[in-house]
Structure formats: C-alpha cells, structure tokens
Amino acid sequence: MQLYKNFFKLVKANKISVMIASIIMVVYAVAMIFAAPGMVDKSEDTAAEKSVDYKNLVVMFHDNDNSELSKGVRTLIEKYGSVEDTSASDERINDILYFSISDFYIEVPEHFQEKIDAGEEVSLEYQSHSQVSGKTFSFVNDIDSFVNIYRSYRTMGMNDKASVEKALEMTISEVTFGVVTEKKEARHTNANEYAAYMILMYFCFIALWFLGMSIASVIISANKKEVSMRIDASPVKPTEKTWSQMAGLITCAVFIVAVYTIFCFLYAGSSDMMSKYGWAVILNLITTTFYISGFTLMVSCFRLSAGTLSLICNSVGLSMSFLCGIFVPFYFLSSGVQTFAHFLPFFWSAKVFNTIYSGSGMNYTFSIGSIFSAFGVQILFGLAFILISVVIKKVQQGKSI
C-alpha cells in the first residue's frame, strides 16, 4: 500500500506532464464538438456528378437458388468484372469487404426465380465496402433492372431460359463508363453522435499519450537509482514494486475511462451508438486502456530520458494510428498494410468503434462474437506487455546482484 501511495506522490510531483496531456485531450474533444455540425451538414447537402468505372469489379457471389434466373444474374455480373463463388460466414464476408479485397457481395436467396415467377416481392442481398457511391448505385440498379425485365417477359408467357436471354440483351451491360448524379445520403445523422465517435476513435492515441508520456515518466522517476535504493532497502519484495506500479497505472486508466464514459453518455447518450451499444463502448475503453497500461509499464522498465520517451510514444502512437485506419480511412490503405494492421492493437480498438457506429462507412454488421473476439485480442496484447515487463524486471534485478 505504501508503494501505491508513493506512486501518486510522484504523479503529483510530475503534474506538469499530466496537465499537458489532459489539456491536449480536452482541446481535441472541444474541437470535434464544434466541427461536427459543419461536417454533418456537408455530408447531407453534397451532391456531385460522378464518373463511374465499371471495369475490374470483384464480386463475391453466393447462389442459393441455382436457377436460370440466378445464372443470368451471374452472367450479367461477369460483364462488370470477376465473380468469386463463396459460402463464407457473415463475419468473413464483412472482413473481406472492410479490407476492400472485394467490391461487392451478392447473395441469391432460395426459391428466388420461383417467387419472381409467382409475382412475389423478393430481392437479392447486396453488401458493399462503399455503400454510398455512384458505382454502387449504378451496379445494383442494372442488376435490379435485369430482374424486372425478366419478370416482364415471364408475364408475357416466355419460358425462363428465353426470358433470361432477352433480359440480358435488353440490360445495359456493355457500358464501361457512366455518369451518375447522386445526392449523398447522410452518413452522420446526429452531430453529437459523430463527434462522440470521432473522439472515441482517437482514444487510443490520446490514452497512449496520457499514460505513455505522462504516467510512464512517473514510473521512470520511481526507478531512478536513489529512489530505487530506498525501496530496495525496505522489507518489500521486488515484484511488489512492479505490481504497485501496475496498480497505479490501472487507477489512472480507470479515471480516463470514467471521464470518457461520462462525457459520451452526457453528450450523446440519446444517440443510437450510445443507447444501443454503450456497454460495448465502455468495454472497449477498458480493454484499450488495459493494453496501453501494459505497454506503458514495459516502456518504463528502461531508464529513458523525457526526450527518448516522447520519441518512442509518438512514433508508436502515430504509426499505429495511420496503419490502423484512425488518422486515415482504412480503405485508402493497401491490402498489405490492411493485413499487417491485424497484428497491431490499435486496429482492434478501432474495429469495435467502427462496428458500433452505424455511419462509419466500414459496413461492419454488429456481431457479439466479433466484438468479444476484438476484446480478447486486446487483453492478450495487454497480458503480453505485462509479462514482458516482469521478465525485463527480473533480468535487471539479476544483473544488479
């Protein structure tokens, strides 16, 4: 307990660095709050004429009907690009679309042709990594037009094979470029929700800045020779020092999580993101601060100068923020970078926030399994950092003997 109290005495002694990190956190939050309404209005009001390139589309196709009509749909899709048959799980499809490995996923339901012939309302299932775009609109519109033309020929008495052939001839499928004027749908229907989402997306970097650059300097101060010798002279086991430091870190992390949680519920509590998935937001904040606390403990094992500590935290934070789609939209990154991002903890934190925010544009379908697997990966990163810290401490203690 004495070591735990001593931790916060050192925090008080290094209050300037803590205050700087706190000011940065507040300034960013205020900036997003003021910027959000303008960004929402721009998203809602923008209308643009887009040039649509139909070449080289990659479409995942799942045919549950295997009828003449579904085969005709596949033939039409092949005019736009390559078709890959798939029976992958929903989570796997979401990942493929999220990383822009494929442009579309199209699924033909069972008894599709039978229901069309009977005059029933039935539709194909479409998913895309770019839901709001001219390309999406035109591509889906052509397929729906083909189905409607088929329906018309069947009504006139033609058999299914002849109707498919006629519909393919009638459908505009040879066009390689088109122009579509579209009014963009509102991506962010609530300014408060969007501001809260953006603040949460930057939480990884802010938490690393706060804990890694401020609290880590406190731990490094406790590891200085003169302070360390006093602790070593007391009847305290060496490992207790490490665990007391971790306990102090966790306490600071709990404080940050509490601040963000209270803010999000007060500022955007009525939004869909917080009212439906507020529990996931809180758990993601906890798991994120857990692995960042572990990383901070690991870095603080070394007696680094303030400049070196700043260099390490900024390099790690900035690089992971860019590679994991926090600073730059993920679909702008190459497939190799997107794959590599899976091995970085920031990716899993951002994935949860993107999933629970309906307007993120990432097309993630909310799944309890996917959310908790992301939590699990973050916890594993945290445990790995803590284990490495313990090993480093034991090696250092062995060398000092």
Side-chain angles (χ1 to χ4, degrees), residues 6-252:
N6 184 65
F7 177 90
F8 290 99
K9 289 180 180 179
L10 290 170
V11 170
K12 187 176 181 180
N14 291 269
K15 59 184 178 182
I16 294 178
S17 60
V18 177
M19 288 175 61
I20 292 173
S22 301
I23 291 171
I24 292 174
M25 182 171 61
V26 172
V27 168
Y28 173 73
V30 172
M32 286 309 308
I33 289 171
F34 279 99
M39 298 174 75
V40 171
D41 292 340
K42 184 177 179 181
S43 178
E44 289 177 342
D45 297 337
T46 299
E49 197 171 71
K50 291 183 174 291
S51 179
V52 182
D53 183 2
Y54 290 155
K55 293 181 178 179
N56 302 321
L57 289 180
V58 179
V59 180
M60 293 183 291
F61 187 74
H62 188 195
D63 188 355
N64 293 309
D65 193 36
N66 197 30
S67 61
E68 289 293 335
L69 179 57
S70 64
K71 293 175 183 177
V73 171
R74 181 191 173 96
T75 300
L76 179 63
I77 296 171
E78 288 173 346
K79 299 288 184 179
Y80 294 92
S82 60
V83 180
E84 298 177 359
D85 292 306
T86 183
S87 57
S89 64
D90 291 341
E91 291 185 8
R92 174 61 177 163
I93 291 168
N94 283 335
D95 284 336
I96 293 173
L97 293 174
Y98 179 73
F99 294 120
S100 302
I101 297 172
S102 289
D103 295 294
F104 294 90
Y105 170 73
I106 298 177
E107 181 174 346
V108 182
E110 292 183 355
H111 310 298
F112 180 64
Q113 178 178 313
E114 180 181 329
K115 292 180 179 179
I116 291 290
D117 293 344
E120 298 179 19
E121 290 297 325
V122 60
S123 60
L124 302 168
E125 178 185 341
Y126 299 105
Q127 291 186 45
S128 169
H129 68 73
S130 178
Q131 291 288 354
V132 184
S133 72
K135 180 185 287 187
T136 305
F137 174 81
S138 298
F139 180 62
V140 171
N141 186 62
D142 279 0
I143 296 175
D144 288 342
S145 295
F146 163 77
V147 174
N148 289 329
I149 293 171
Y150 166 86
R151 189 197 297 266
S152 298
Y153 278 114
R154 288 289 284 163
T155 303
M156 290 189 292
M158 286 190 178
N159 62 37
D160 55 357
K161 188 173 182 179
S163 296
V164 167
E165 292 175 354
K166 285 288 186 181
L168 285 172
E169 291 176 6
M170 292 289 294
T171 304
I172 303 174
S173 57
E174 299 299 327
V175 178
T176 55
F177 290 92
V179 177
V180 177
T181 301
E182 64 165 324
K183 177 148 177 116
K184 289 187 178 179
E185 296 178 10
R187 229 183 206 185
H188 317 294
T189 57
N190 184 297
N192 289 12
E193 182 181 38
Y194 178 58
Y197 161 70
M198 290 303 298
I199 291 169
L200 289 171
M201 279 295 288
Y202 280 73
F203 176 76
C204 305
F205 181 74
I206 296 295
L208 180 60
W209 220 93
F210 188 90
L211 296 176
M213 294 186 62
S214 302
I215 307 303
S217 62
V218 172
I219 299 176
I220 292 172
S221 297
N223 292 336
K224 288 181 179 179
K225 187 175 181 181
E226 57 273 16
V227 179
S228 185
M229 287 177 66
R230 293 177 190 174
I231 297 174
D232 293 339
S234 63
V236 176
K237 294 181 181 180
T239 54
E240 289 185 23
K241 180 180 176 182
T242 300
W243 290 116
S244 66
Q245 291 172 347
M246 188 62 192
L249 265 173
I250 294 295
T251 303
C252 294

Side-chain angles (χ1 to χ4, degrees), residues 285-347:
L285 291 174
I286 292 172
T287 52
T288 299
T289 50
F290 176 70
Y291 73 71
I292 290 177
S293 296
F295 175 80
T296 300
L297 190 67
M298 181 182 70
V299 172
S300 60
C301 289
F302 306 96
R303 293 172 184 173
L304 305 172
S305 65
T308 304
L309 179 63
S310 175
L311 176 64
I312 291 174
C313 290
N314 276 315
S315 299
V316 171
L318 289 171
S319 60
M320 284 202 290
S321 295
F322 278 108
L323 294 173
C324 297
I326 295 174
F327 288 170
V328 179
F330 208 73
Y331 52 82
F332 285 157
L333 306 177
S334 66
S335 58
V337 172
Q338 292 173 356
T339 302
F340 177 72
H342 279 74
F343 300 95
L344 302 175
F346 276 23
F347 165 80

